[in-house]
Amino acid sequence: MAYAHGVEQVTRVKMADVARTAGVSVATVSKVVNGRYGVSQETLARVQQVIDDLGYEASLGARSLRSHRTNVLGILVAEFEPFSTELLKGAGSVVASTGYELLAYSGGGGGEVGWERRYLSRLSGTLIDGAVIVTPTVLDTYPGVPVIAIDPHAGPSGLPTVDSDNLAGGVMATEHLISLGHRRIAHLGGRTDLDSARLREQGFRQAMAAAGLPVDESLVLPGGYRRLTSAAPAHELLDRPDRPTAVFAANDLSALAVLDAARTLGLRVPHDVSVVGFDNVPESALSEPPLTTVAQPLREMGATALRMLADLVSGQEVPMHLRLATELHVRATTAPPPPF
């Protein structure tokens, strides 16, 4: 170990270090690492023991130059936030069973159009054999790179995709509020460029129409899927004399912003206003009060996408569009509306 300015620096073990310690040539170590013939069992065992002792590992770049494969699958995300983190946990839970290693990557692109192309150009061919792309902005083919898309912006298209039933989830959330007796229901929407947000709003409108209830368009506001961007519209919805008795937020982060706004305005949830979210990220169960939400099977989505990618890289056929069911998790933020 070396030290620079008091910080411990980890020195990478090289093939020459293994050769020197084992008392063999670099060429012999290379044969052992690459599984080639011409090494006795005694020498192989000695070299392998040194490799284990020193913690030697060939670099991904060197591995790909030799075999044109890295045996690594990537998960590419615009940013690490609760939604993508749950997907990563699901992928990580099954990666050992695929025979591949896993690389999670974000270049801090912030989700601008085309971020996934830039990430793929940096990683494909030398670091990863294929990629799961989470909410890609452009659903298109990527020549020479096997790709599975999770919840793409524009919805299913020409790539194998995994998503959840956003339309049914929107209906489910709204029907739950209607069943409790709510009639004046607001919708704090997601990002207008995302198919998932459009489908959740469509589900809201569909359930309202089926119940014979009019939608007050002044109660339908965009929240942008973020707690910060949802803060102002959430406050606007609740700080009006004819406020809604319930809010269906397009994701949990937006729903948490509604809880923040209610707290600021001195409103009690669910006594004064009921709130339903969407996603079921861990924060939803830890909120005060715990959030009623429509659960996407996020970890299952991540696991399914990674298995599909492993199959695709191995030359197997995979489903083009796989849609998983959503379900309602009723907690403590929904109740019948207050009497007026």
Side-chain angles (χ1 to χ4, degrees):
M1 300 256 182
Y3 292 82
H5 303 293
V7 178
E8 185 176 315
Q9 303 290 311
V10 178
T11 302
R12 181 179 180 83
V13 178
K14 300 177 182 179
M15 193 175 289
D17 299 323
V18 176
R20 183 170 56 254
T21 305
V24 299
S25 68
V26 171
T28 297
V29 177
S30 178
K31 288 180 180 180
V32 173
V33 169
N34 293 292
R36 295 177 185 151
Y37 297 108
V39 181
S40 70
Q41 285 299 316
E42 180 183 353
T43 300
L44 188 151
R46 184 168 75 254
V47 172
Q48 189 60 58
Q49 184 62 54
V50 172
I51 287 173
D52 293 342
D53 291 344
L54 296 182
Y56 171 77
E57 175 65 36
S59 71
L60 293 179
R63 191 192 305 176
S64 67
L65 287 173
R66 289 194 304 269
S67 65
H68 304 293
R69 294 284 292 273
T70 66
N71 206 45
V72 176
L73 303 178
I75 295 188
L76 280 54
V77 300
E79 59 181 323
F80 294 110
E81 36 67 44
F83 175 84
S84 61
T85 300
E86 288 302 296
L87 295 171
L88 289 170
K89 290 176 183 176
S93 70
V94 299
V95 64
S97 67
T98 68
Y100 290 88
E101 298 171 27
L102 181 64
L103 174 68
Y105 181 83
S106 173
E112 71 271 13
V113 174
W115 63 266
E116 63 278 3
R117 288 189 179 279
R118 291 190 294 278
Y119 293 8
L120 276 175
S121 69
R122 294 170 193 164
L123 303 177
S124 61
T126 56
L127 292 178
I128 60 174
D129 295 331
V132 172
I133 305 180
V134 178
T135 59
T137 59
V138 180
L139 197 61
D140 199 356
T141 57
Y142 301 91
V145 185
V147 167
I148 303 292
I150 293 181
D151 197 22
H153 278 213
S157 183
L159 283 177
T161 62
V162 177
D163 62 14
S164 67
D165 199 335
N166 291 290
L167 176 62
V171 170
M172 200 181 308
T174 311
E175 285 182 342
H176 171 62
L177 293 171
I178 293 171
S179 72
L180 292 172
H182 293 278
R183 298 296 179 264
R184 186 165 173 76
I185 304 172
H187 179 58
L188 185 57
R191 285 174 45 182
T192 56
D193 61 323
L194 296 186
D195 189 60
S196 61
R198 291 191 289 268
L199 287 170
R200 292 171 197 181
E201 181 177 337
Q202 182 182 336
F204 162 72
R205 293 180 179 277
Q206 185 173 308
M208 293 288 281
L213 299 175
V215 173
D216 183 341
E217 296 300 332
S218 71
L219 298 182
V220 180
L221 299 178
Y225 274 164
R226 295 176 183 268
R227 195 166 184 167
L228 183 62
T229 57
S230 295
H235 193 278
E236 179 182 340
L237 287 172
L238 300 186
D239 189 28
R240 49 189 290 170
D242 59 343
R243 69 171 182 267
T245 64
V247 180
F248 164 40
N251 76 338
D252 288 343
L253 296 183
S254 299
L256 294 177
V258 178
L259 298 187
D260 294 339
R263 193 174 301 112
T264 299
L265 293 168
L267 299 176
R268 299 168 300 165
V269 177
H271 304 288
D272 298 317
V273 60
S274 288
V275 183
V276 179
F278 202 113
D279 282 341
N280 194 35
V281 297
E283 289 82 350
S284 66
L286 301 174
S287 65
E288 183 54 46
L291 181 68
T292 294
T293 187
V294 174
Q296 293 193 80
L298 297 178
R299 296 193 184 187
E300 183 182 350
M301 289 166 66
T304 298
L306 194 75
R307 290 194 194 98
M308 287 173 61
L309 180 61
D311 289 343
L312 194 62
V313 169
S314 301
Q316 302 179 48
E317 291 188 4
V318 299
M320 279 302 294
H321 306 308
L322 195 58
R323 178 157 291 166
L324 305 182
T326 50
E327 62 181 16
L328 182 70
H329 286 199
V330 178
R331 297 191 180 114
T333 58
T334 50
F340 289 109

